[in-house]
Amino acid sequence: MIKRLRVRFIALAMASLASVLLVILGAASVLNYRDIVATADQTLALLAENGGQFPAEMRREELRPNEAPAGDFRPPEKPKGDLHRRSEFSPELAFESRFFSVLFDDSGAVVSSDVGMIAAVDEDGAEALAQEVYAAGKANGFTSFYRYLRSAENGQTRIIFLDCGRGLETFRSFLLSTVWIAMLGMAAVFALLVTFSGRIIRPVSESYEKQKQFITDAGHEIKTPLTIIDADAELLEMELGESEWIRDIQSQTKRLTDLTNELISLARMEEDGSRFEMIDFPFSDLVEETSQSFQSRARLENKRFTVSVEPMLSMNGDQKAIRQLLSILLDNALKYSPEGGDISLSADRRSGSLTLTVRNTTAEPMTKEQLSRMFDRFYRADPSRSAKSGGYGIGLSIAKAVVTAHKGKLTAAGEPGGVAITAVFPQ
């Protein structure tokens, strides 16, 4: 149990860390991507306002020596006035951006294309890409790594494409780097948890071990006076004859002895699996043999008990413990079924696992909470009825411990008109 607790603690801690990192990385990635898109859309909007080009004051085109008389060359003046009101744009935006545009008339035919500010696309490629976007009819979006904008211009339509390859590649590199860093961080945290989780749960482990030791020691100490009380009651009965009080003493002594034995048995099962003798044995024969002892009881209580066992099934496990498991499940089903009720037992192999199912098809309906707590110690869905039947609320806890020790799974499920308890043993 302590090992399972430690594993669950590590799994929960790692799941929590992964969730937090996922939220952080997701938020950072979304914000980064939205920033790239917003910047591209602002640039495209500026280009659309100026017929597919940056304003002249932003371009600051240099004069070529062969286009100006010698001695008259002057460096371009820095932009003034209107450029500074566009404070959201970098002064280098016109020199950093790579873009092209295609103009369509109202019939959808290409009027002209401008690829002067990009080297990766020629006129044919630009027109083909623009025609695809024009046919799609979207106002803006991405095609490959180009962000595009559709704008109206003097009764015609211009589609402008902006190369966002560098920004998207930076985004992908950032995302990949953060994922790797997050994975390395999770690996480091996992190593730390594995190293120190033993110390974290040590107080719980020590308390649990002391509890089990107390149950075992107290159980052995209680058994001796119970044996003496039972023997004294028998002597009194021999000397004084039968009486209601002596029978009550014997009955309560037997109940307390049974409960003590069950507590000791459960404590031993939960200590470790080495107490079980794992051998190969005929599972089908054991199920049929154990069920036979409950057939007569079912007839006496006017209940129908059906058994369906697949022949030639074998299992590697503790034969005595599996017999105890069967006895607990069948006793529980018979105990909590009304007179004239139906109980069934089935055993077969499904998907490589041995499956054992006990159904009480006439039991009272149970809620999800009751089903989920059915295997808890001392839990009783109906305390008044359990008291009448003589149960202690610990038998199914022992059944759960037996199945768990065999690496199996024990579940309870509500069915129309009853309850089914299923044990699955991987083989």
Side-chain angles (χ1 to χ4, degrees), residues 156-354:
Q156 299 175 321
T157 300
R158 182 180 295 276
I159 301 179
I160 308 170
F161 296 84
L162 180 65
D163 186 351
C164 298
R166 289 184 180 179
L168 293 176
E169 183 61 32
T170 301
F171 168 74
R172 283 191 289 267
S173 299
F174 168 78
L175 182 61
L176 184 61
S177 299
T178 52
V179 168
W180 274 108
I181 292 172
M183 292 178 64
L184 291 175
M186 289 188 63
V189 172
F190 177 76
L192 291 173
L193 285 174
V194 171
T195 304
F196 296 107
S197 59
R199 298 182 183 180
I200 296 173
I201 66 171
R202 183 176 297 168
V204 178
S205 175
E206 291 177 352
S207 176
Y208 181 71
E209 292 299 328
K210 289 177 180 178
Q211 178 187 0
K212 289 193 301 180
Q213 189 63 42
F214 171 78
I215 292 173
T216 304
D217 295 344
H220 285 296
E221 292 297 327
I222 292 173
K223 287 175 70 175
T224 300
L226 287 176
T227 304
I228 296 173
I229 292 171
D230 188 54
D232 290 345
E234 290 182 2
L235 289 173
L236 286 173
E237 186 177 22
M238 292 173 61
E239 292 183 4
L240 304 177
E242 294 184 1
S243 72
E244 178 183 351
W245 314 114
I246 293 176
R247 285 196 304 270
D248 187 55
I249 291 173
Q250 291 174 329
S251 174
Q252 296 304 319
T253 302
K254 183 179 182 303
R255 286 196 53 174
L256 192 54
T257 301
D258 292 341
L259 177 58
T260 302
N261 290 334
E262 288 186 354
L263 285 172
I264 294 173
S265 176
L266 181 59
R268 286 177 175 174
M269 285 181 185
E270 292 182 340
E271 284 180 5
D272 52 55
S274 61
R275 294 182 178 273
F276 292 98
E277 297 180 2
M278 300 296 187
I279 60 172
D280 291 328
F281 64 90
F283 184 71
S284 298
D285 294 345
L286 183 141
V287 174
E288 291 179 348
E289 178 186 341
T290 306
S291 63
Q292 285 297 324
S293 61
F294 288 88
Q295 290 285 1
S296 57
R297 175 181 166 184
R299 285 193 293 269
L300 287 173
E301 297 178 2
N302 191 27
K303 299 173 183 178
R304 188 172 63 177
F305 178 32
T306 58
V307 180
S308 175
V309 181
E310 183 179 332
M312 304 301 292
L313 294 177
S314 62
M315 178 182 180
N316 181 269
D318 188 290
Q319 190 170 354
K320 183 178 178 181
I322 298 300
R323 189 186 301 275
Q324 183 182 17
L325 166 68
L326 277 166
S327 299
I328 290 172
L329 296 182
L330 292 175
D331 177 73
N332 186 78
L334 287 168
K335 187 182 297 181
Y336 294 103
S337 63
E339 184 176 355
D342 293 332
I343 300 99
S344 66
L345 168 66
S346 63
D348 52 32
R349 187 183 297 276
R350 304 177 194 173
S351 303
S353 299
L354 290 179

Side-chain angles (χ1 to χ4, degrees), residues 53-66:
Q53 293 291 335
F54 284 106
E57 65 271 17
M58 291 185 69
R59 285 179 284 161
R60 297 165 54 196
E61 296 176 336
E62 295 182 1
L63 296 174
R64 297 181 179 86
N66 59 355

